[in-house]
Amino acid sequence: MNTTFHSTRGSSEQLTSRQAIRQGLAGDGGLFVTDDLGKQQVDVAELIGKSYQDMARTVLGVLLPDFLASELDECISAAYRPQWLDSAITPLKPLGDDYILELFNGPTSAFKDVALQILPQFMARTASGAASANEKVMVLTATSGDTGKAALAGFADTPGTGITVFYPEGKVSEIQRLQMTTQTGSNVNVCAVKGNFDDAQTAVKRIFGDRNLASRLEESNSVSLSSANSINVGRLVPQVVYYFAAYAQLVESGAIKVGDEVEFVVPTGNFGDILAGYYAKKLGLPVGRLTVASDRNNVLFDFLTTGTYNRERPFYQTTSPSMDILVSSNLERMLYYMSDGDTELIHSLMDDLQNKGSFTIPKTLLERIRGLFSCGWADENQVSQAITACWNANHYVIDPHTACGYHVLSQMPRETGMPRVLLSTASPYKFPRVVSKALGLDTTGTDFDCMDRLSKATGTTAPRNLRSLEHATERFTDVISIDEMSDYVMNASQNL
């Protein structure tokens, strides 16, 4: 099957998956999609009893058909090795009458590792036929907290590749900040920007569309730009695998039989994590419902409730910073598929969002979306209460993002006979002060003091990669305005 990818906003540009991964963002500002999604199904029964790596070979083989099986095998073997704390990669565990899928056992303790350990492997195999031997790639990323470190760890010291990460000054946790500013590697760049994540993400998209900058980068150093955000299809598709892995583990435990439907509750801000569940359903996974869990920045809740997406609203800095997002980029892909590939509609909606700050979808489209997606949100008090309630009921410690999902889970009516899986997106030790405060522990001193008290009180262990940050050397201290980001990228690219 000759699968091609094109923009959500038009189909004039047809690329292979290799080319789409290397380019990152479509030339018209849209996101790459394929109309072949779902034409080839995954036989779920054949995945039962297989390792995560074998499931990845099957699922990714369907989603990225122009990669050779031997190439995917190399990518998967490099990405899912002993750098993971659990051999299951994404283990499923009971949580009362429900289940929790741990996505934080990778080298940076966040779900982004699942994709960002393998994306550099994909990227290294995109040059053939797509670029000259001398061309270098600068991976450009805006982060609300977790993507930055996971991307840095994945791309550090990768030959022919540089990575530049922008994060909003003062709007990530202290541990998240230290994870980024202490990153080693000769090809990495980290910079704080004055503004919030949406400001940084919008600027990154603008930089991708800056043809003058692209020409200067090409002429001066043969550099092209790509992305490690979930706008890159190569970042998105690896996340589809853990939905199949969760389902297989439910079958293996005897909780369900093959064919039974499962509900997934997903804390999300940029809509990529839950979109992967939609892709899994398109591939044949029996997904009964996908529930969006938001924090106080509940733009997705309002959209799924009313059909109007409005970014012109107050921005709240919360204890779940990775979800403090008002422009959810991957929603565009879902709208594309749910509208049966109506590129004209998507182009119009995205124009309205950019020029007017909002858009409203047709009522029939909203009804179709709500047939699969539901939603809920948690304010700061509810997040804290959810951390406490989860510990008291299950002796299981959750981070504030997962707590948004736990709160939504606790408020939802239970579908008869449909198991519910909560996706846990980050280690609680990335937010030790917030979690400790919720559990009534002493929060004086540093975040590392909070880590130690949390460990002692709960009998859990802080991941070594986080606890060791206390004595790591900070390398990056730059703070710039949004308008200076293009020059920063240009200067960073000169050093490749």
Side-chain angles (χ1 to χ4, degrees), residues 332-474:
E332 183 171 343
R333 281 190 172 107
M334 185 270 279
L335 291 172
Y336 173 83
Y337 285 115
M338 281 288 189
S339 67
D340 296 321
D342 190 339
T343 55
E344 289 187 8
L345 173 65
I346 303 307
H347 194 285
S348 175
L349 294 176
M350 295 305 114
D351 275 353
D352 283 347
L353 184 63
Q354 180 176 346
N355 298 322
K356 301 177 183 177
S358 66
F359 64 77
T360 299
I361 62 173
K363 184 177 179 180
T364 53
L365 179 55
L366 176 62
E367 290 173 352
R368 185 176 185 183
I369 292 170
R370 291 181 64 177
L372 176 62
F373 289 91
S374 60
C375 56
W377 68 282
D379 64 26
E380 294 295 86
N381 289 334
Q382 291 165 333
V383 167
S384 182
Q385 291 165 6
I387 294 171
T388 305
C390 186
W391 172 252
N392 289 340
N394 308 293
H395 271 230
Y396 189 95
V397 188
I398 55 176
D399 82 289
H401 304 78
T402 306
C404 291
Y406 189 87
H407 171 77
V408 171
L409 190 71
S410 70
Q411 301 298 308
M412 289 165 40
R414 183 181 296 274
E415 297 279 350
T416 303
M418 189 187 296
R420 306 189 302 181
V421 177
L422 170 62
L423 273 58
S424 184
T425 55
S427 166
Y429 284 96
K430 296 192 81 165
F431 313 92
R433 191 174 300 277
V434 174
V435 175
S436 295
K437 183 178 180 180
L439 297 180
L441 304 178
D442 181 5
T443 57
T444 58
T446 68
D447 277 24
F448 301 101
D449 295 327
C450 291
M451 276 192 198
D452 294 341
R453 295 190 197 104
L454 181 61
S455 177
K456 183 176 181 180
T458 62
T460 58
T461 303
R464 184 178 301 175
N465 72 81
L466 301 180
R467 188 61 187 84
S468 63
L469 290 170
E470 183 177 18
H471 303 296
T473 301
E474 285 199 63

Side-chain angles (χ1 to χ4, degrees), residues 303-316:
F303 168 71
L304 292 169
T305 303
T306 69
T308 295
Y309 193 102
N310 185 0
R311 72 176 187 187
E312 299 297 324
R313 59 173 63 214
F315 175 88
Y316 299 107

Side-chain angles (χ1 to χ4, degrees), residues 75-153:
C75 293
I76 291 162
S77 297
Y80 306 121
R81 297 178 299 163
Q83 72 265 42
W84 293 78
L85 298 178
D86 194 300
S87 60
I89 308 300
T90 60
L92 184 80
K93 297 182 178 180
L95 192 71
D97 294 330
D98 300 302
Y99 298 87
I100 191 162
L101 185 66
E102 291 187 351
L103 303 179
F104 54 76
N105 288 295
T108 77
S109 305
F111 81 94
K112 312 294 176 77
D113 288 324
V114 177
L116 285 167
Q117 284 294 296
I118 200 168
L119 178 59
Q121 304 299 324
F122 292 158
M123 196 76 75
R125 290 160 177 82
T126 62
S128 178
S132 69
N134 294 325
E135 184 182 331
K136 296 176 280 291
V137 175
M138 174 58 76
V139 177
L140 185 57
T141 298
T143 183
S144 55
D146 288 333
T147 292
K149 173 58 181 180
L152 290 163

Side-chain angles (χ1 to χ4, degrees), residues 138-142 162-164 166 204 207-208 225-229 489:
M138 174 58 76
V139 177
L140 185 57
T141 298
I163 178 163
T164 298
F166 296 106
V204 164
I207 289 170
F208 276 117
L225 297 177
S226 190
S227 174
N229 287 100
V489 172

